[in-house]
Amino acid sequence: MKMEPLICIILINYNSYDDTVECVRSLINQEYVNYKVIVVDNYSKDHNKLKSDSFLNKHCDVILSNSNDGFAAGNNIGIRFAKEKYNPDYYWVLNNDTVVKPDCLKKLVEKSLKSKKKVGLITGRIMHYYDHDKIDYRGGFFDKKTGMAGYYNVDSIHGEEVSFATGCFWLLPRNTINTVGLLSEEYFMYAEDTDYCCRIVQAGYVMLYCDDSIIYHKISASNGVNSPFNQYYMTRNSLYIIQKYSDFHAEAYLKFMKKIVMELLRKQRSYKPTFDAIVAFMHHELGRNKEY
């Protein structure tokens, strides 16, 4: 009997120990068996908990980072470790605030193996953790005209291929990592998934959507949907994505700024993080802003 491809699952922990444990418990109950779980703690208050947790250390490789350089950097630590120790066939980048269905990984791998296309990424359906009947993601797109990523309407499936997949839920074949490289760390938080999806497509790969592969996500459990942190990095990094990947810069900037103004007028966002983000972009500032 042919051995299943080896999967390395990368989880990033940042002050979310309970979420990480719950996620790992769901992973060890899945039908797919040939996998390794790698937990990277991004220099959070959970260092000692993770280090001494017998359950996690039994089922995972636990890596304690000595700095918090963001989502992409944490995943890159896990990917490098996985490549050196296991050289897996696939890397599964998964948010730690998720719970997976037992056949989730099995369905993703089957989708990849059955495809005759040059597959660079496989993703699946994301449901709300607190309301299992509510769908959050069922395929996404990147609009090169506006330089913005978005989700398709969840009422139906919009085809097998997608041009954007949230970094919450990626299965990356080994060739993707070898060809496209690691995630871009310059954003610190947010938009690194859009950036990586664009790089995958530019490299000539397709990204597949598997509706039968399902996870449940605690949406924005870490930083809040509309927090100053969220607003600052989403605004600044969206401007950089427009700069790098939009085919119509002037039109894209105008549309984005119009959206920001409307949200400010409706009091859906705050002035300070928005203003700071725009100034940072104009001054070509990237990485972490210590104020946020």
Side-chain angles (χ1 to χ4, degrees):
M1 184 176 181
K2 189 176 180 179
M3 177 70 74
E4 293 176 326
L6 175 61
I7 316 294
C8 277
I9 306 169
I10 316 295
L11 306 178
I12 307 303
N13 180 84
Y14 185 72
N15 296 330
S16 49
Y17 166 80
D18 291 337
D19 289 337
T20 297
V21 171
E22 185 178 12
C23 181
V24 173
R25 290 194 185 280
S26 74
L27 290 171
I28 65 175
N29 288 321
Q30 65 185 319
E31 296 172 8
Y32 200 91
V33 297
N34 194 23
Y35 67 90
K36 303 291 182 181
V37 181
I38 299 164
V39 175
V40 180
D41 183 67
N42 250 359
Y43 199 58
S44 78
K45 297 176 182 178
D46 293 333
H47 252 52
N48 290 333
K49 286 183 180 178
L50 295 172
K51 188 176 181 180
S52 61
D53 189 296
S54 58
F55 168 75
L56 289 179
N57 283 276
K58 176 182 177 181
H59 295 286
C60 314
D61 288 291
V62 177
I63 303 172
L64 305 178
S65 176
N66 57 11
S67 64
N68 176 15
D69 297 316
F71 176 81
N75 276 294
N76 286 343
I77 289 171
I79 291 169
R80 289 191 193 99
F81 176 90
K83 188 174 185 178
E84 182 176 341
K85 184 172 181 178
Y86 299 111
N87 191 28
D89 299 288
Y90 294 88
Y91 301 80
W92 192 12
V93 174
L94 181 69
N95 269 27
N96 73 318
D97 59 345
T98 60
V99 170
V100 308
K101 288 194 71 172
D103 62 352
C104 177
L105 183 52
K106 180 181 177 182
K107 295 289 187 182
L108 286 179
V109 175
E110 286 176 351
K111 182 81 171 181
S112 175
L113 294 176
K114 288 178 181 178
S115 178
K116 296 181 180 180
K117 300 176 181 179
K118 186 181 177 183
V119 178
L121 180 153
I122 312 96
T123 190
R125 192 187 338 162
I126 302 174
M127 308 293 290
H128 283 249
Y129 176 88
Y130 299 106
D131 182 354
H132 280 200
D133 294 325
K134 186 176 180 181
I135 303 173
D136 179 61
Y137 173 89
R138 210 175 187 188
F141 60 90
F142 179 76
D143 187 342
K144 295 184 72 175
K145 184 175 181 180
T146 64
M148 299 296 292
Y151 291 3
Y152 289 123
N153 187 300
V154 298
D155 292 334
S156 60
I157 304 173
H158 293 258
E160 180 186 60
E161 293 186 25
V162 296
S163 54
F164 171 72
T166 170
C168 168
F169 187 14
W170 289 349
L171 185 68
L172 302 170
R174 179 194 296 152
N175 283 343
T176 301
I177 299 297
N178 292 342
T179 304
V180 180
L182 299 172
L183 283 72
S184 296
E185 299 181 11
E186 58 190 6
Y187 300 100
F188 181 66
M189 282 291 290
Y190 305 126
E192 60 275 286
D193 52 359
T194 306
D195 180 275
Y196 202 69
C197 288
C198 289
R199 288 165 57 197
I200 288 173
V201 173
Q202 286 182 343
Y205 291 97
V206 299
M207 301 190 297
L208 301 181
Y209 171 73
C210 180
D211 195 58
D212 294 332
S213 179
I214 299 171
I215 66 170
Y216 299 94
H217 184 208
K218 301 168 187 174
I219 308 298
S220 295
S222 299
N223 301 306
V225 174
N226 207 30
S227 65
F229 179 98
N230 181 292
Q231 291 179 48
Y232 174 82
Y233 288 106
M234 284 294 289
T235 303
R236 186 198 68 179
N237 295 344
S238 292
L239 288 166
Y240 279 111
I241 292 295
I242 290 172
Q243 183 184 69
K244 290 178 71 173
Y245 298 111
S246 172
D247 288 341
F248 303 92
H249 287 133
E251 182 179 343
Y253 286 136
L254 285 172
K255 186 169 184 178
F256 184 69
M257 294 308 296
K258 180 180 178 181
K259 175 177 177 289
I260 285 177
V261 170
M262 294 304 296
E263 289 174 352
L264 287 168
L265 292 174
R266 294 170 183 158
K267 298 182 178 180
Q268 295 173 329
R269 64 161 59 233
S270 305
Y271 281 92
K272 187 178 187 319
T274 301
F275 178 77
D276 288 347
I278 294 171
V279 170
F281 171 72
M282 293 175 66
H283 290 171
H284 310 290
E285 295 173 4
L286 277 161
R288 184 175 188 177
N289 183 328
K290 293 182 180 179
E291 188 174 348
Y292 296 95

